[in-house]
Amino acid sequence: MKLQGKAKGIAAFLMKRWWLMLLVLNILSVLVFAGLYWKNSRNLLHYTYEETDFAQYVNTQDPRAVGNTFDEDNAFGLYNVVPSFFLRKGYYEYRVTWEGGSPGTFIWPHTYLDDRYHTVEQNVIYMAEGAAEDQNGFWINIDYSPSLVVCYSGQGEVKVTSFEIRETNMLAVRTLFLRIMGLLFLNVCVFVAVYQRRKGIPDSVRIAVIGCVMIALVSGIPALFSKTIEGHDLMFHLCRIEGIRDGWLSGQFPVRINPVFYNGYGYANPVFYGEFLLYLPAFLQLMGFHLTIAYNVYVVIINLITAGIAYYCFSKMLKNQWATLAVVFLYCMAPYRLVDIYLRSAVGEYSAIAFFPLVLYGMYRIYTTDTESGEYRYCFVPLVFGITGVLQNHVLSVEMIAVFLLMTCVFLLPMTFRKRRFFALVKTVIVSVLVNLGFLLPFFDYYRTGRFAVFNEKKVTYLQNGGVVFGQLFDLFPKWIWEFVGADSSIRSEMPNSLGLSLTLGVSLCIGLLLLSKKPEEKQSRKPVVLCLLLCLIAVWMSTVYFPWDVLIERLGDFAYLVCSIQFIWRFLAVASVLAALVCGYGLLILSERAGKASALCAAGVLCTLSLVSGVFFMEETLDNGKIHYMNDTRAVYTMGAVSGGEYSYSGSKWETAENVQEPEVSGGAKISGYKKVGTTAAFLVTEPGDNGTVLLPMIAFPGYRVTSKDGEISQECLSEGDSARIRILIPEDFTGEIRVFYREPWYWRAAEILSLLTVGSMLVLWHRNRKLRW
């Protein structure tokens, strides 16, 4: 009995000191993780083979082992240059040098006839004429001995002169990251368990969390695989992600110049195209994950964010959990959103769509909250964060929602100009600018240079033919069709642009129920529903061929390019989808009032079933028809083409230079050596200054680049813009030594970023101090 009493006492003590136990466990775990990381990062493998080493592997008995020289006496096929070398599981970088060249011939570490899963990634180096060396990387997923293999095309002559392979610590980094994530997950589980034991978690919260997670997983089925389906803009956004990582490695934070595009010359898309959320997949790639896996994780997380924000906002407006969950499901499975993710790969747009419900709820708060209540002074906060989420992901979406925000203010003009409400709208604008100043100031700073194509090439194109026709709005089985060719084509050959049968029926249900409302008090209480319905119908109309876009463009004259910047009028289906989802929720609640909860639940079930059938059908179409990619990085991507229209480059730039010139061009008798470039940072050693010697670097001279030398003799005056907008460095007479060129944003950009962070921090403190209020 005494032992039992002591045991109970110890258990009670431990329960009271659970946090101490957890802290000790965390410290011990971190120490073990650090030790394992240190162990796995030591004694990394490194092999070097020179030309003289290859001769020992020639074997007259093995037709594949013929040495390191290949010419037209050799038949097309695979040949072993190095038959076998042992590699541990991990990530390796390898470098090959050669003489001559052979079109279509490539070399890589390869395994023969191995049926184990992804033993060695097939990342090859093409041995083209005119090149002399190249490097690549690959993962090997088991301890194994691959061969260095040449696949000879049967044309030309090429000789392998050296091969170097080096093990990196990427596996150790990735393993450490996963262990830390596992430990954090364990901590969250412990805190949730303790909270449940002490205070209890309401069933409504459990249902909401489980519901949102399930909705996110169902809408993210194609992203649950290790490979990625290619969409219209996938390569552009993968290059954006890797550019963020490479920008970090070259010293930029935040990243302003993407060093991946245009064969490393750089691209100013981060200045004009918000990338805040893309820092997550970039960090995952930095931690050793494949680029396509990092992207898939991002899609799943965006689905979770979309479901979470939608649930929070719709629950505040509908005040009914089952209706909210139904509306969240309809919104997350909306056909236009799924097409955005899996067919168009419009990362910026579908990321911005996650914040549309927050914009909607923000306007709802401002116009429905009692202006005399104490909480009204904070009612602008949701709208600020909604606008911020959209702006930081997709500027074009800001233009679209701005139109509907303005329409709302006009439709509710008497309410808009009431003192406190008008002041709340003014506060929204001011605080939104402050929160986003770190993005807006660089945007307008580059804009005022007048150099960028996105502002100079004011293209005017007719948009109306690209709209949706009436029948497309009811599409239940959207096909995975790559092209969008306009309303004149057959619907069967047109990319699926649809509001969806479920949302269309839900809106129709709400319209019918509103028409049946006869009591004055019913009509008065349903004014917000009517306004939301009206805006929804306008958004649908604007996405169709029936809206007079071409007439509007002709009437606007010189300002028509502002409308044409939208590019595709079916983008308004994104706005229509969030409004339609809310209208469906209101329709279900009205049906519940008139016909009972059972009828409303039945209607919700029908709408969700139709949405599930439509969404799963399209995702299956995606998996069946989409091109599959499994990429560790973008080395194999043609980054010249990935920029699409090149909107964020200089107007009239000679991009054939970026296509053909990858090394510095030296003139004026100067000589340099040891040129190295990492992202947006380059360094080289001047051995002879020459007479007015200059060096043209393969980097675009965007504002913000700096030049320096150890002795300080090289000043900023030595940097200018040269031919094809490249960075030109003037070498002073009698100068020898190292010159370093790097990108550094102006001090006032950094001040704007700090001000933005202080504004966000102030809003979080405000929320914490007033967290009992209805947000």
Side-chain angles (χ1 to χ4, degrees):
M1 295 295 293
K2 289 183 178 180
L3 290 175
Q4 289 182 353
K6 288 183 178 180
K8 289 181 180 180
I10 293 172
F13 174 80
L14 292 177
M15 285 302 299
K16 291 180 180 179
R17 300 290 186 271
W18 64 271
W19 57 269
L20 182 61
M21 293 177 57
L22 187 62
L23 178 62
V24 172
L25 175 64
N26 284 330
I27 293 174
L28 291 176
S29 298
V30 169
L31 290 175
V32 171
F33 296 165
L36 291 172
Y37 173 76
W38 177 78
K39 176 185 175 183
N40 295 331
S41 297
R42 296 177 68 241
N43 301 320
L44 299 176
L45 295 176
H46 182 203
Y47 301 127
T48 300
Y49 298 87
E50 300 296 338
E51 188 172 354
T52 55
D53 298 321
F54 296 131
Q56 62 180 303
Y57 300 114
V58 177
N59 188 342
T60 57
Q61 304 300 318
D62 183 358
R64 287 178 174 156
V66 298
N68 61 317
T69 301
F70 306 91
D71 55 32
E72 294 181 3
D73 291 336
N74 299 103
F76 168 81
L78 302 179
Y79 297 92
N80 290 343
V81 180
V82 180
S84 178
F85 48 93
F86 174 74
L87 299 180
R88 292 188 294 257
K89 178 181 179 180
Y91 183 73
Y92 291 80
E93 295 277 355
Y94 73 99
R95 176 177 169 271
V96 178
T97 63
W98 64 90
E99 294 176 357
S102 171
T105 295
F106 53 88
I107 185 171
W108 82 112
H110 176 56
T111 56
Y112 288 100
L113 305 176
D114 193 276
D115 58 358
R116 279 170 280 190
Y117 180 69
H118 278 177
T119 301
V120 178
E121 290 179 345
Q122 308 300 305
N123 292 341
V124 306
I125 289 176
Y126 282 90
M127 306 173 76
E129 186 76 44
E133 66 176 83
D134 202 353
Q135 61 183 16
N136 210 330
F138 63 92
W139 281 94
I140 178 169
N141 295 315
I142 59 172
D143 294 350
Y144 202 75
S145 297
S147 306
L148 180 64
V149 176
V150 167
C151 179
Y152 179 60
S153 66
Q155 302 177 40
E157 180 178 347
V158 64
K159 180 169 72 171
V160 182
T161 55
S162 71
F163 167 61
E164 180 183 11
I165 185 167
R166 184 188 302 271
E167 183 182 9
T168 71
N169 70 339
M170 277 281 85
L171 179 62
V173 170
R174 188 172 70 181
T175 304
L176 176 64
F177 174 77
L178 290 173
R179 286 169 175 161
I180 292 174
M181 289 298 102
L183 184 62
L184 289 175
F185 179 74
L186 176 63
N187 278 263
V188 171
C189 291
V190 170
F191 277 104
V192 170
V194 171
Y195 188 88
Q196 164 65 17
R197 184 182 181 88
R198 292 186 173 182
K199 297 184 177 181
I201 299 175
D203 290 340
S204 60
V205 175
R206 297 182 187 180
I207 293 172
V209 172
I210 294 173
C212 288
V213 170
M214 294 301 295
I215 291 169
L217 291 177
V218 170
S219 62
I221 290 174
L224 300 179
F225 296 86
S226 60
K227 298 180 180 179
T228 297
I229 307 294
E230 181 174 355
H232 295 166
D233 299 335
L234 179 66
M235 293 305 161
F236 170 64
H237 295 296
L238 291 182
C239 289
R240 289 177 69 201
I241 293 169
E242 185 160 306
I244 293 170
R245 184 202 65 173
D246 290 355
W248 289 342
L249 294 176
S250 61
Q252 292 189 70
F253 192 89
V255 176
R256 300 297 187 183
I257 300 298
N258 186 309
V260 168
F261 288 107
Y262 287 114
N263 292 337
Y265 273 62
Y267 196 42
N269 64 286
V271 173
F272 302 105
Y273 203 143
E275 297 188 327
F276 175 71
L277 288 180
L278 289 184
Y279 279 38
L280 173 62
F283 179 73
L284 290 177
Q285 193 188 15
L286 188 66
M287 291 295 101
F289 290 88
H290 286 71
L291 178 58
T292 46
I293 291 177
Y295 175 78
N296 284 352
V297 171
Y298 178 76
V299 171
V300 172
I301 290 176
I302 284 295
N303 283 335
L304 286 168
I305 292 173
T306 303
I309 291 177
Y311 182 87
Y312 172 79
C313 297
F314 290 140
S315 65
K316 296 290 186 180
M317 292 183 280
L318 298 176
K319 300 177 177 64
N320 182 291
Q321 188 169 47
W322 64 263
T324 297
L325 285 172
V327 168
V328 171
F329 186 81
L330 293 175
Y331 182 57
C332 289
M333 296 291 285
Y336 182 79
R337 181 177 175 274
L338 296 182
V339 167
D340 245 14
I341 298 174
Y342 301 119
L343 176 54
R344 295 186 58 226
S345 296
V347 173
E349 188 170 352
Y350 72 68
S351 300
I353 286 173
F355 296 89
F356 279 15
L358 203 51
V359 175
L360 188 57
Y361 173 59
M363 291 297 284
Y364 173 88
R365 283 293 312 277
I366 289 175
Y367 279 94
T368 62
T369 305
D370 182 7
T371 56
E372 300 303 320
S373 64
E375 66 184 25
Y376 192 78
R377 56 180 173 171
Y378 306 121
C379 69
F380 69 95
V381 174
L383 184 55
V384 168
F385 283 119
I387 292 173
T388 298
V390 177
L391 178 63
Q392 291 290 338
N393 287 286
H394 198 236
V395 175
L396 285 180
S397 292
V398 176
E399 296 180 26
M400 292 192 300
I401 65 169
V403 172
F404 285 86
L405 292 178
L406 182 60
M407 278 195 286
T408 302
C409 293
V410 172
F411 290 155
L412 302 175
L413 200 60
M415 298 176 67
T416 300
F417 283 103
R418 289 181 184 175
K419 183 177 179 181
R420 296 199 69 185
R421 186 166 288 116
F422 182 76
F423 185 54
L425 293 170
V426 172
K427 281 195 295 186
T428 299
V429 174
I430 294 173
V431 177
S432 295
V433 169
L434 290 175
V435 169
N436 295 283
L437 194 61
F439 173 73
L440 294 173
L441 183 60
F443 185 103
F444 287 107
D445 203 22
Y446 267 23
Y447 166 76
R448 68 184 180 86
T449 64
R451 298 288 306 278
F452 291 92
V454 66
F455 304 113
N456 290 341
E457 298 174 9
K458 300 176 180 179
K459 299 177 181 178
V460 176
T461 56
Y462 291 106
L463 302 175
Q464 199 162 332
N465 187 55
V468 179
V469 297
F470 185 71
Q472 287 179 278
L473 296 174
F474 301 88
D475 197 359
L476 179 60
F477 297 107
K479 296 279 189 178
W480 196 91
I481 299 174
W482 185 269
E483 296 84 5
F484 47 96
V485 290
D488 292 338
S489 67
S490 169
I491 294 177
R492 292 183 178 181
S493 61
E494 173 74 4
M495 186 182 79
N497 289 313
S498 173
L499 187 62
L501 182 62
S502 56
L503 286 175
T504 307
L505 288 179
V507 171
S508 302
L509 172 67
C510 186
I511 293 173
L513 292 171
L514 287 174
L515 292 175
L516 293 175
S517 300
K518 297 180 180 180
K519 297 180 181 179
E521 58 271 17
E522 287 184 349
K523 294 181 179 180
Q524 182 66 28
S525 64
R526 287 167 187 169
K527 283 185 176 180
V529 188
V530 174
L531 176 61
C532 190
L533 176 61
L534 176 61
L535 293 174
C536 175
L537 294 177
I538 292 174
V540 171
W541 182 33
M542 294 176 74
S543 69
T544 67
V545 296
Y546 313 114
F547 189 87
W549 285 107
D550 292 351
V551 174
L552 180 62
I553 289 170
E554 291 175 354
R555 294 287 177 85
L556 287 174
D558 293 339
F559 297 98
Y561 71 92
L562 295 173
V563 173
C564 295
S565 65
I566 296 171
Q567 296 178 312
F568 313 112
I569 58 176
W570 35 255
R571 290 187 194 271
F572 284 98
L573 286 172
V575 180
S577 295
V578 68
L579 292 167
L582 182 59
V583 169
C584 287
Y586 281 129
L588 293 173
L589 293 181
I590 295 172
L591 181 62
S592 179
E593 292 175 6
R594 297 182 65 90
K597 184 176 179 181
S599 298
L601 287 173
C602 182
V606 170
L607 294 178
C608 289
T609 301
L610 290 173
S611 183
L612 178 65
V613 169
S614 177
V616 171
F617 177 84
F618 176 72
M619 288 187 280
E620 284 295 325
E621 280 275 302
T622 299
L623 294 171
D624 289 342
N625 299 296
K627 185 179 179 181
I628 302 295
H629 288 284
Y630 186 72
M631 300 162 52
N632 188 61
D633 50 43
T634 61
R635 292 187 221 213
V637 175
Y638 180 57
T639 61
M640 298 288 295
V643 296
S644 186
E647 294 91 345
Y648 312 117
S649 58
Y650 282 164
S651 296
S653 299
K654 299 177 181 178
W655 292 115
E656 60 270 16
T657 304
E659 183 86 53
N660 301 314
V661 181
Q662 301 300 314
E663 296 294 327
E665 291 186 351
V666 184
S667 60
K671 293 184 179 180
I672 67 171
S673 64
Y675 171 75
K676 292 182 180 180
K677 180 177 178 294
V678 178
T680 53
T681 299
F684 56 90
L685 185 67
V686 177
T687 55
E688 293 185 23
D691 184 16
N692 294 320
T694 60
V695 179
L696 281 173
L697 298 177
M699 303 160 72
I700 298 300
F702 293 115
Y705 273 104
R706 301 286 185 267
V707 61
T708 185
S709 61
K710 289 184 178 179
D711 58 7
E713 187 175 346
I714 300 295
S715 65
Q716 195 61 26
E717 295 177 354
C718 297
L719 188 149
S720 61
E721 182 180 325
D723 179 60
S724 299
R726 285 177 289 175
I727 292 177
R728 178 174 58 193
I729 305 299
L730 177 64
I731 303 174
E733 293 183 7
D734 302 326
F735 174 84
T736 56
E738 186 181 61
I739 293 178
R740 181 170 174 264
V741 178
F742 56 95
Y743 186 86
R744 179 177 295 168
E745 63 181 40
W747 65 268
Y748 52 91
W749 289 15
R750 187 69 72 191
E753 293 159 9
I754 293 172
L755 183 57
S756 292
L757 289 174
L758 289 175
T759 306
V760 173
S762 300
M763 294 181 71
L764 293 176
V765 171
L766 185 70
W767 171 81
H768 180 71
R769 289 182 177 178
N770 301 275
R771 58 188 180 278
K772 293 183 180 179
L773 296 178
R774 183 171 65 91
W775 290 89

